[in-house]
Amino acid sequence: MTALVLIESEHGKIRQASRSALAAAAQFGDVDAIILGNEGIDAAAKLAGVRKILHVPALKSALAEPTAALLASLSSSYSHILSAASSMGKNILPRLAGLLDVQPISDVVKINDEATFVRPIYAGNALATVQSSDTVKVLTVRGSSFDPVAEEGGSASVEVLEAPAEDGKSSFLRLEQTESDRPELEVARVVISGGKGLKDESNFHSLLEPVADKLGAAIGASRAAVDSGFAPNEMQVGQTGKIVAPELYIAVGLSGAIQHLAGMKDSRVIVAVNLDPDAPIFKVADYGIVGDLFEVLPALEKAL
Amino acid sequence: MKVLVPVKRVVDYNIKPRVAADGSGVETQGVKMSMNPFDEIALEEALRLREKNQADEVIAVTIGPQVAQDVLRTAMAMGADRAILIRTDAEIEPRVVANLLKVIVERENPGIVSMGKQAIDDDMNATGQMLAAKLGWPQGTFASQVTVADSKVEVAREVDGGTEVLSLSLPAVITADLRLNEPRYATLPNIMKARKKPLETIEADSLGVDLTSHLKLVSVAEPPERTAGVIVETVEELVEKLKTEAKVI
Ligand SMILES: Cc1cc2nc3c(=O)[nH]c(=O)nc-3n(C[C@H](O)[C@H](O)[C@H](O)COP(=O)(O)OP(=O)(O)OC[C@H]3O[C@@H](n4cnc5c(N)ncnc54)[C@H](O)[C@@H]3O)c2cc1C
């Protein structure tokens, strides 16, 4: 069996979530990777355990329509087609599945055998074991559940592929990015997340950032914090935001709604700071402080 | 232009789901059911297009057993003009849902299919993309802003690195993310009025679509339970424990 993995680069490196998808794919047999645009090609060729890199310079905007069409044209050579459960993977792979009339399997956290997978349902309140009868299996995998393959150690051949002609129905206009020097949320060792309890955007920054700086932490947010304009949407952690599993997760002024827990409850150590002793976040926290975050955060910054 | 809005009846998002003792699934008997929250947002967006005179009819469609008509009544109480129930008692996977919706799209010829990006029960996040693929239409997934002008639609999408903006020709499939809008509530008079709006029932097995699943549910289990830890009194105590006990800092 041979698997094909759609991988993504960032700042010339291959994203950790993509390297986790490659590790998952290795459980099926040989692994080829496909990369779009012109960034990260050298890094891709060095990845451990990859047989061949398919490089598609033309598809740098990763539009779903031509990318899914290209993957469909390659699908007869593969038993499994995977990607990270990233916004790109979740956009393209189900479209590929639609073209092939197969049932895609999203957010895989465990591979039992070549056709049997475990995935969370109901915001992670249940784990479903599912078995696919499709000849080509289309999966997105959750990065935090598979140890990524090493960045170096391989020497894959690189083959350049032409992209299918675009049909003009979809075009990329722009990407509005939020630049940040902080570690990426999904791969940070420490995450500190703020909720509605921070009251406004300026508190969100002035109270969380000094603690995050001391810990080298990424900053996350609850949906209520994002909706209230304290933080941009890509900082949202939860069922519909990012899924994180850092060594240490510090939840400040957020209640711990099930949709939020869905995105962080696999963290190794959870700390909660909340005024309300009955807040659900304390049910999953290893260490809790019942107190006012406006006092606790400055004190924490000093104590670190 | 018509807008078609597929909606799903799911366990209400405020209910903590319970895994059935025999591991066959999640308990739905006697549990409060509602319209999938993302579908409410997709419907709201369709209603706003109609209110801006960019759409002239909003049609809600659901696939499921007879009781699934509840969410169609809700959709019409919110403002959908009419509704279609594709009736089946079978468990239908998203791939089959997309195949059934394709038949309805071909019959109704909407300019936009506006749907939720995922259902909060199976969390699959796939039906919209599959439907777009099967129709050969462009897709704007995880939409946080939708602007229709000159037979095109501009869609701002929530992506990992920020917001991506695409331009799609119509017809197109759009899947709604949480921040697209805040859905209205159905008022009592509108709930009454919705009872008189047309609801058509079509048997799923009359549409020429194979309803069998390619993905079999083997079992459902509880995730490993996290146990509550300790409450510490001071920040110093916390830092001490993180250093010596948890060894994370
Ligand atoms: C379909 C759907 C998907 C969703 N997806 C997500 C998701 O991905 N991620 C997500 O986070 N949410 C999600 N939500 C929303 C979720 O249900 C909650 O509404 C949200 O998480 C609440 O955010 P919060 O905890 O910041 O706010 P609240 O629930 O309002 O909590 C604020 C907390 O701050 C505490 N507090 C207030 N002042 C202080 C103080 N001075 N010091 C200390 N503590 C204080 C309060 O005691 C309270 O516990 C989703 C909802 C739906 C319907």
Side-chain angles (χ1 to χ4, degrees):
Chain A
M1 280 183 299
T2 308
L4 177 65
V5 184
L6 174 64
I7 60 172
E8 297 164 61
S9 70
E10 196 167 44
H11 309 306
K13 293 172 120 190
I14 303 305
R15 288 185 68 181
Q16 182 171 322
S18 294
R19 290 190 288 115
S20 293
L22 289 166
Q27 300 190 24
F28 304 123
D30 288 335
V31 179
D32 291 348
I34 181 163
I35 184 162
L36 313 176
N38 280 317
E39 243 197 81
I41 312 307
D42 295 342
K46 290 190 200 126
L47 289 165
V50 179
R51 189 178 69 168
K52 183 168 70 177
I53 302 291
L54 303 173
H55 171 204
V56 198
L59 294 178
K60 73 174 194 316
S61 310
L63 288 172
E65 296 79 4
T67 310
L70 175 65
L71 291 172
S73 73
L74 301 170
S75 64
S76 60
S77 311
Y78 297 98
S79 58
H80 297 76
I81 301 180
L82 300 82
S83 78
S86 58
S87 57
M88 177 169 140
K90 288 177 166 179
N91 187 39
I92 294 170
L93 262 63
R95 188 173 177 104
L96 164 68
L99 294 175
L100 301 176
D101 197 38
V102 310
Q103 173 59 47
I105 307 159
S106 312
D107 277 314
V108 169
V109 295
K110 188 165 172 262
I111 296 168
N112 287 359
D113 61 44
E114 41 114 359
T116 318
F117 313 99
V118 180
R119 60 180 299 270
I121 55 173
Y122 287 90
N125 283 289
L127 290 172
T129 301
V130 292
Q131 192 172 37
S132 170
S133 61
D134 284 309
T135 37
V136 180
K137 287 150 189 89
V138 176
L139 326 171
T140 61
V141 305
R142 199 169 267 195
S144 54
S145 302
F146 297 88
D147 285 335
V149 301
E151 283 177 293
E152 313 239 331
S155 55
S157 60
V158 178
E159 184 182 316
V160 174
L161 288 187
E162 298 280 326
E166 291 191 16
D167 59 8
K169 290 180 180 170
S170 170
S171 52
F172 171 84
L173 297 182
R174 60 188 176 273
L175 178 64
E176 291 154 11
Q177 258 173 314
T178 345
E179 282 304 328
S180 157
D181 305 333
R182 296 192 184 284
E184 214 190 317
L185 200 47
E186 285 127 306
V187 301
R189 214 186 68 83
V190 181
V191 173
I192 181 164
S193 288
K196 197 71 199 281
L198 278 134
K199 308 241 169 7
D200 64 35
E201 186 187 357
S202 92
N203 292 331
F204 191 91
H205 292 288
S206 65
L207 289 166
L208 293 179
E209 281 169 4
V211 181
D213 287 343
K214 285 239 163 128
L215 291 167
I219 297 182
S222 71
R223 175 185 171 199
V226 173
D227 282 351
S228 312
F230 304 178
N233 69 265
E234 60 272 19
M235 280 196 189
Q236 181 179 313
V237 171
Q239 180 184 21
T240 52
K242 304 232 158 108
I243 309 288
V244 302
E247 287 290 297
L248 174 61
Y249 189 89
I250 307 178
V252 183
L254 61 84
S255 59
I258 55 172
Q259 294 87 5
H260 187 81
L261 300 183
M264 44 65 75
K265 70 179 159 50
D266 293 331
S267 305
R268 188 165 81 77
V269 176
I270 298 174
V271 171
V273 179
N274 200 301
L275 266 182
D276 174 8
D278 297 323
I281 190 72
F282 287 122
K283 295 213 178 76
V284 300
D286 301 284
Y287 303 104
I289 293 191
V290 178
D292 186 347
L293 67 90
F294 290 90
E295 290 160 18
V296 174
L297 283 176
L300 181 59
E301 197 249 326
K302 278 208 197 78
L304 284 168
Chain B
M1 177 176 79
K2 292 184 193 175
V3 181
L4 185 74
V5 184
V7 296
K8 186 176 186 185
R9 183 173 178 268
V10 298
V11 172
D12 187 87
Y13 82 96
N14 281 308
I15 308 276
K16 184 164 162 49
R18 277 182 203 295
V19 173
D22 63 0
S24 61
V26 164
E27 294 286 3
T28 51
Q29 285 300 351
V31 173
K32 182 177 179 215
M33 306 291 279
S34 303
M35 190 192 299
N36 179 39
F38 291 101
D39 304 347
E40 287 183 352
I41 297 168
L43 173 59
E44 175 66 35
E45 201 62 22
L47 298 174
R48 291 184 189 187
L49 288 175
R50 193 188 58 198
E51 285 158 4
K52 284 187 278 193
N53 293 319
Q54 292 179 317
D56 39 44
E57 193 182 26
V58 175
I59 308 154
V61 55
T62 196
I63 299 164
Q66 190 65 39
V67 287
Q69 66 167 322
D70 293 358
V71 292
L72 294 177
R73 290 286 170 210
T74 308
M76 290 191 287
M78 281 174 69
D81 298 291
R82 61 186 169 94
I84 304 167
L85 169 65
I86 303 176
R87 187 164 58 192
T88 173
D89 289 328
E91 284 290 333
I92 300 284
E93 69 183 14
R95 181 189 59 84
V96 178
V97 170
N99 284 331
L100 289 167
L101 289 176
K102 177 169 182 269
V103 178
I104 301 302
V105 168
E106 283 163 351
R107 202 185 74 165
E108 297 285 349
N109 287 311
I112 291 178
V113 177
S114 177
M115 52 203 291
K117 75 163 181 178
Q118 76 192 70
I120 60 164
D121 50 4
D122 69 9
D123 282 334
M124 197 64 98
N125 191 334
T127 310
Q129 297 88 314
M130 282 192 280
L131 176 62
K134 288 168 191 290
L135 291 165
W137 290 10
Q139 67 187 46
T141 54
F142 327 147
S144 59
Q145 206 179 336
V146 171
T147 318
V148 175
D150 308 326
S151 70
K152 280 194 184 296
V153 58
E154 208 174 283
V155 181
R157 310 180 50 236
E158 298 196 351
V159 297
D160 290 345
T163 305
E164 180 187 77
V165 186
L166 300 180
S167 170
L168 312 176
S169 63
L170 294 176
V173 174
I174 295 170
T175 77
D177 215 318
L178 284 176
R179 269 168 295 279
L180 182 55
N181 59 49
E182 209 158 305
R184 69 196 66 189
Y185 289 101
T187 59
L188 195 57
N190 285 342
I191 293 172
M192 303 304 286
K193 264 194 251 164
R195 295 197 182 146
K196 298 206 186 71
K197 290 185 178 176
L199 194 162
E200 179 190 1
T201 300
I202 303 173
E203 297 301 329
D205 55 16
S206 72
L207 292 174
V209 170
D210 180 3
L211 303 182
T212 49
S213 293
H214 290 182
L215 195 64
K216 189 175 98 189
L217 183 64
V218 179
S219 63
V220 175
E222 299 265 3
E225 192 75 42
R226 262 197 110 95
T227 45
V230 293
I231 296 294
V232 295
E233 296 305 325
T234 65
V235 165
E236 290 68 31
E237 195 187 337
L238 173 68
V239 171
E240 179 60 26
K241 286 207 184 302
L242 291 177
K243 281 188 175 148
T244 57
E245 203 174 84
K247 298 191 170 61
V248 275
I249 58 172

